[in-house]
Amino acid sequence: MKDGIDLANALKEKTISYEELIGEITKKVAKKNPELNAFVTFDPQQFFTSSPILEKNQPLSGVPFPLKMLGQEKKGWLATSGSNLFKTHRASKNSNFVTKVQAIGLIPLGQTNTPEFGFKNITDPQLYGPARNPWNPAYSPGGSSGGAAAVVASGILPIAGASDGGGSIRIPASFCGLIGLKPSRGTMPVGPYAWRSWQGAAIDFGLTVSMRDTKALFMGLRGIHSGAPYQVSPIKWQEHPRKKQFKIAVCMESPVGTAISEEARQAIKNAGQFLTQTGHELVEINYPLDGRQLIQSYYQMNGAETAAMIRSVESNLGRSVEKNELELLSWALSEYGKKVSAADYIQALHLWDHAAIVMEELFQTFDLFLSPTTAFTAPNVLADLQSDQIREKMANISEWNEKEGLAIISASFEESLKLTPYTQLANLTGQPAINLPTHLSKNNLPLGIQFMAARGREDLLFQIGELFEAHQKFYLPPSYQ
């Protein structure tokens, strides 16, 4: 298996039948999933009643497409969001993203593991248990699209649905050696359940192993709903002249002042040498924003949005949600969120807008902004990213005031943030960013590099990715080598 387009072409040319393909996938799932815990539902007999009609003008038509068990809802399928609170809940209708997925010929197949409500950069929900990394099952595939990354990296399928609210596509892509694009805010289908998706920070897309699959998926799914609160002007989607030389800003230092690994530094150095040798200009810059201030605003949003979500759930249930029905992090975020004032919430969003302007001004000088995707390779599945002291404070967060609550939430995420301090920026600013799998560590684990571009300029990310791919600079999982 090479990529999704190869698979689609094989189906269209009838070198493999759909029944044979599903049979092969089923065998792979039976062999690999017990160890990886990537799929949390998989029943091909239920999901496939007949062979699909293959659309020749859709490059990915006919390709099976796992859905993330968070927001990517298909009518009648489980919709748990990785939470015991919803362990038997089923979707009453398709999400608009899934409707568009089906419209371009992709075939939903199974649902992938995700942490409760997607809050973590690892995938270890109490409902399903931890997902594991195909490169080494002792390590995490990341999160929150960890199950999707494990499906793709294991070679079960070359493409899978994913979503990104703070790095949840790019982090698993870095940890699993995949291509992970977070598109510009306003480019992907939203609704009908959530139109703002963490105030535009969260977006659906997918994980892939080739630039042509990435581009085909983006071109197929992009669009503007007239009622969507965030939109990218179609002017941005016009054909731009290909760049012969990129001017690239580079910053490898952590935006929150934490340490980064020598592997991450080496990944940037290697990428820089390659880019310089191929005629591109690199300029080292200081991080252009106050990363600590921005991450605090991100936690304020997380808390307020979680409190609003739980209030809505309680309204639908006609009762209060009990503490033991949620994982501790979700409970703490919800309780803290009740204390976030409207003024503080609005101020947090103003910070996002300011950051977006700063970055758009940066992109008037530079084509791209290069950093590590993650500061370290994947953590061990058994790694404890919170202390007992922090967990005790989280359990009693309702006793603290708003300022103290924010400090507790910040502390609860701190060890995770040290692993992945780079990805949140693009979610807050709405600009596109991509992980490229260009580095393999000494312990044989992947670590990616991240490029950001101006809003609506995915074309630049495609070009830079194609440059690395054409020069065989990707370290893809063994199934694709």
Side-chain angles (χ1 to χ4, degrees), residues 374-392:
T374 57
F376 294 86
T377 53
N380 194 286
V381 170
L382 300 178
D384 190 351
L385 299 177
Q386 291 170 343
S387 68
D388 289 339
Q389 182 182 20
I390 291 171
R391 282 190 282 265
E392 183 178 357

Side-chain angles (χ1 to χ4, degrees), residues 96 186-191 194-196 223-232:
N96 289 340
T187 56
M188 293 292 111
V190 294
W195 290 95
R196 291 184 175 272
I224 294 175
H225 188 290
S226 61
Y230 304 110
Q231 302 183 5
V232 169

Side-chain angles (χ1 to χ4, degrees), residues 245-443:
Q245 181 188 54
F246 289 107
K247 187 175 183 181
I248 303 169
V250 184
C251 181
M252 69 175 74
E253 297 308 318
S254 166
V256 294
T258 52
I260 72 166
S261 67
E262 285 304 313
E263 293 286 1
R265 292 184 185 277
Q266 192 61 50
I268 295 298
K269 289 176 183 176
N270 292 345
Q273 290 173 359
F274 165 69
L275 289 165
T276 300
Q277 290 168 0
T278 49
H280 304 283
E281 180 184 359
L282 274 69
V283 180
E284 287 195 38
I285 65 167
N286 294 323
Y287 198 76
L289 293 155
D290 184 334
R292 277 291 171 186
Q293 189 181 41
L294 278 173
I295 200 66
Q296 296 275 302
S297 73
Y298 181 68
Y299 297 151
Q300 288 173 311
M301 177 278 296
N302 277 156
E305 292 288 326
T306 305
M309 176 187 69
I310 297 302
R311 179 186 292 181
S312 176
V313 170
E314 290 176 334
S315 177
N316 289 331
L317 292 176
R319 65 172 179 82
S320 297
V321 171
E322 302 298 326
K323 185 176 182 179
N324 62 4
E325 294 181 285
L326 296 172
E327 294 184 24
L328 181 57
L329 178 59
S330 302
W331 170 261
L333 277 168
S334 178
E335 290 298 296
Y336 159 64
K338 294 176 183 178
K339 302 175 189 293
V340 176
S341 70
D344 285 343
Y345 190 71
I346 294 299
Q347 184 59 38
L349 298 182
H350 285 168
L351 281 174
W352 297 15
D353 295 340
H354 170 72
I357 295 300
V358 169
M359 293 305 294
E360 287 296 323
E361 289 174 349
L362 180 80
F363 291 128
Q364 291 179 16
T365 302
F366 298 97
D367 299 303
L368 298 165
F369 177 44
L370 169 64
S371 72
T373 303
T374 57
F376 294 86
T377 53
N380 194 286
V381 170
L382 300 178
D384 190 351
L385 299 177
Q386 291 170 343
S387 68
D388 289 339
Q389 182 182 20
I390 291 171
R391 282 190 282 265
E392 183 178 357
K393 289 184 177 180
M394 292 167 66
N396 297 292
I397 197 168
S398 58
E399 300 174 6
W400 302 84
N401 62 32
E402 179 185 354
K403 183 177 180 181
E404 293 164 335
L406 179 57
I408 292 169
I409 294 299
S410 298
S412 73
F413 279 112
E414 186 64 18
E415 292 304 310
S416 296
L417 180 63
K418 289 177 182 178
L419 297 173
T420 60
Y422 300 100
T423 53
Q424 297 84 9
L425 175 62
N427 298 89
L428 307 192
T429 63
Q431 283 135 355
I434 194 169
N435 175 79
L436 299 181
T438 64
H439 186 76
L440 197 62
S441 71
K442 293 176 182 177
N443 63 344

Side-chain angles (χ1 to χ4, degrees), residues 41-48 109-110:
T41 71
F42 183 84
D43 184 358
Q45 296 304 314
Q46 174 187 347
F47 299 156
F48 294 92
L109 171 65

Side-chain angles (χ1 to χ4, degrees), residues 77-153:
W77 289 21
L78 280 172
T80 70
S81 298
S83 176
N84 272 302
L85 184 62
F86 299 120
K87 63 182 178 182
T88 61
H89 175 66
R90 293 184 179 271
S92 61
K93 62 180 73 173
N94 286 1
S95 70
N96 289 340
F97 177 80
V98 170
T99 296
K100 191 63 178 288
V101 160
Q102 293 177 302
I104 67 170
L106 289 163
I107 313 297
L109 171 65
Q111 294 166 289
T112 57
N113 205 348
T114 183
E116 186 175 59
F117 305 127
F119 290 139
K120 294 183 179 180
N121 60 4
I122 58 172
T123 297
D124 63 344
Q126 292 175 7
L127 177 59
Y128 298 123
R132 294 177 179 270
N133 195 319
W135 289 82
N136 185 332
Y139 293 87
S140 173
S144 62
S145 305
V151 166
V152 178

Side-chain angles (χ1 to χ4, degrees), residues 450-469:
Q450 176 180 259
F451 287 95
M452 282 181 65
R455 198 175 296 182
R457 293 307 305 272
E458 278 82 358
D459 62 299
L460 296 177
L461 300 182
F462 298 147
Q463 287 182 48
I464 198 70
E466 288 162 359
L467 177 69
F468 278 85
E469 185 179 53

